[in-house]
Amino acid sequence: MASLKLGDTAPNFTANSSIGIINLYEYLGDSWGILFSHPADFTPVCTTELGTAAKFKKEFDLRNVNILALSVDGVDSHLEWIKDINEVQNTFVDFPIIADEDRKVSDLYDMIHPNADNTLTVRSVFIISPDKKIKLTLTYPASTGRNFYELLRVIDSLQLTANHKVATPANWQNGENVVVSPAISTTDAKTIFSKGVEEIKPYLRMTPDPTM
Ligand code: BEZ
């Protein structure tokens, strides 16, 4: 399967998971989604990532994001591993972990990179919008745990830019000034953005976050 690109429709699937059989589209409903893969159960970095994801659940809920993890081990293994995660990370994993023993979902989403590892998934992230489009992809090697603050930050940017004609600059954090979309003239921008527009260069115009 060719790798998924931004703007592609997220392929639907039905798979077994730590909470039973789930269908991706039904699980996501009208929410945003994050599908993220883990190389294997009972591995140290993955344990910290899943514990962190559980601790961030409230933040994902606030943003209307349903999270869904995947590893190529089976349900029984996932359930035992979740006990460990809850214990060592002092949390409660209540989102599903797909048990992708036959690599069906991993192949569909191109999560196995054979030159990194022939059988285990890399650390892929797919952010899916409510219309089931792929909005962001990230790929990390097994040796590097992901930054969940960055996932929240990018969700904030995706949700803001989906509704307003703005883009977010480097290292932007929720609430900071944003960039006026290049497609809008400065004259139009001054009408659209009532909080003001600063023209630093004709192509670089800043405005306060329109949602604040
Ligand atoms: C880990 O999650 O710690 C891990 C998994 C596979 C390879 C290396 C590290």
Side-chain angles (χ1 to χ4, degrees):
M1 155 104 203
S3 61
L4 290 165
K5 297 191 169 52
L6 301 190
D8 288 355
T9 298
N12 196 15
F13 58 81
T14 298
N16 206 359
S17 82
S18 54
I19 61 162
I21 303 278
I22 57 170
N23 173 271
L24 177 70
Y25 282 15
E26 283 172 18
Y27 176 71
L28 295 181
D30 295 328
S31 300
W32 289 72
I34 300 184
L35 171 64
F36 56 114
S37 59
H38 296 271
D41 292 4
F42 299 102
T43 50
V45 176
C46 299
T47 299
T48 65
E49 286 192 318
L50 285 170
T52 303
K55 287 178 185 160
F56 275 52
K57 177 80 167 29
K58 206 168 82 192
E59 292 297 327
F60 288 122
D61 287 346
L62 278 172
R63 291 162 175 82
N64 190 28
V65 179
N66 291 343
I67 61 175
L68 179 57
L70 174 148
S71 148
V72 293
D73 293 310
V75 170
D76 290 347
S77 165
H78 284 0
L79 295 176
E80 285 305 309
W81 184 35
I82 286 171
K83 288 183 201 162
D84 275 9
I85 298 166
N86 290 343
E87 178 197 328
V88 302
Q89 295 283 303
N90 192 24
T91 190
F92 181 66
V93 172
D94 65 350
F95 53 84
I97 306 175
I98 295 168
D100 196 34
E101 286 180 289
D102 60 3
R103 279 51 168 179
K104 190 179 84 180
V105 179
S106 306
D107 285 342
L108 194 59
Y109 277 78
D110 201 23
M111 291 164 164
I112 293 176
H113 296 199
N115 290 327
D117 190 295
N118 248 335
T119 52
L120 303 181
T121 57
V122 290
R123 298 187 195 281
S124 300
V125 179
F126 295 89
I127 298 188
I128 302 169
S129 54
D131 61 357
K132 309 293 181 289
K133 300 294 182 198
I134 304 279
K135 290 294 180 183
L136 175 129
T137 62
L138 285 171
T139 308
Y140 280 53
S143 51
T144 305
R146 284 157 286 199
N147 185 329
F148 284 75
Y149 291 107
E150 171 62 3
L151 296 186
L152 290 180
R153 193 191 76 89
V154 88
I155 284 280
D156 286 339
S157 172
L158 288 169
Q159 294 184 341
L160 177 67
T161 59
N163 295 314
H164 297 274
K165 292 179 168 41
V166 297
T168 58
N171 291 341
W172 173 84
Q173 295 289 343
N174 204 10
E176 293 179 356
N177 288 354
V178 296
V179 168
V180 173
S181 166
I184 300 177
S185 70
T186 300
T187 309
D188 287 349
K190 285 179 176 162
T191 310
I192 295 168
F193 301 107
S194 58
K195 291 176 186 158
V197 173
E198 182 194 3
E199 189 183 77
I200 298 165
K201 289 282 181 190
Y203 58 84
L204 174 57
R205 292 84 40 89
M206 304 297 293
T207 188
D209 182 332
T211 65
M212 291 287 155

PDB file of all heavy atoms in Angstrom, residues 49 59 169 183:
ATOM      1  N   GLU A  49       4.887   6.143  26.766  1.00  0.00           N
ATOM      2  CA  GLU A  49       4.009   6.873  25.828  1.00  0.00           C
ATOM      3  C   GLU A  49       2.532   6.625  26.136  1.00  0.00           C
ATOM      4  O   GLU A  49       1.723   7.555  26.140  1.00  0.00           O
ATOM      5  CB  GLU A  49       4.289   6.429  24.394  1.00  0.00           C
ATOM      6  CG  GLU A  49       5.579   6.953  23.819  1.00  0.00           C
ATOM      7  CD  GLU A  49       5.651   6.718  22.338  1.00  0.00           C
ATOM      8  OE1 GLU A  49       5.277   5.628  21.873  1.00  0.00           O
ATOM      9  OE2 GLU A  49       6.067   7.633  21.623  1.00  0.00           O
ATOM     10  N   GLU A  59      -7.174  16.428  28.200  1.00  0.00           N
ATOM     11  CA  GLU A  59      -6.857  17.472  27.214  1.00  0.00           C
ATOM     12  C   GLU A  59      -7.374  17.069  25.831  1.00  0.00           C
ATOM     13  O   GLU A  59      -7.882  17.914  25.084  1.00  0.00           O
ATOM     14  CB  GLU A  59      -5.347  17.728  27.163  1.00  0.00           C
ATOM     15  CG  GLU A  59      -4.779  18.354  28.409  1.00  0.00           C
ATOM     16  CD  GLU A  59      -5.356  19.751  28.670  1.00  0.00           C
ATOM     17  OE1 GLU A  59      -5.665  20.475  27.707  1.00  0.00           O
ATOM     18  OE2 GLU A  59      -5.517  20.104  29.851  1.00  0.00           O
ATOM     19  N   PRO A 169       2.592  30.162  13.244  1.00  0.00           N
ATOM     20  CA  PRO A 169       4.037  30.241  13.013  1.00  0.00           C
ATOM     21  C   PRO A 169       4.822  29.207  13.826  1.00  0.00           C
ATOM     22  O   PRO A 169       4.252  28.472  14.632  1.00  0.00           O
ATOM     23  CB  PRO A 169       4.372  31.665  13.461  1.00  0.00           C
ATOM     24  CG  PRO A 169       3.348  31.985  14.494  1.00  0.00           C
ATOM     25  CD  PRO A 169       2.093  31.249  14.097  1.00  0.00           C
ATOM     26  N   ALA A 183      -3.395  33.786   1.220  1.00  0.00           N
ATOM     27  CA  ALA A 183      -4.420  33.955   0.183  1.00  0.00           C
ATOM     28  C   ALA A 183      -5.235  35.246   0.372  1.00  0.00           C
ATOM     29  O   ALA A 183      -6.001  35.628  -0.510  1.00  0.00           O
ATOM     30  CB  ALA A 183      -5.355  32.748   0.195  1.00  0.00           C
TER      31      ALA A 183
END
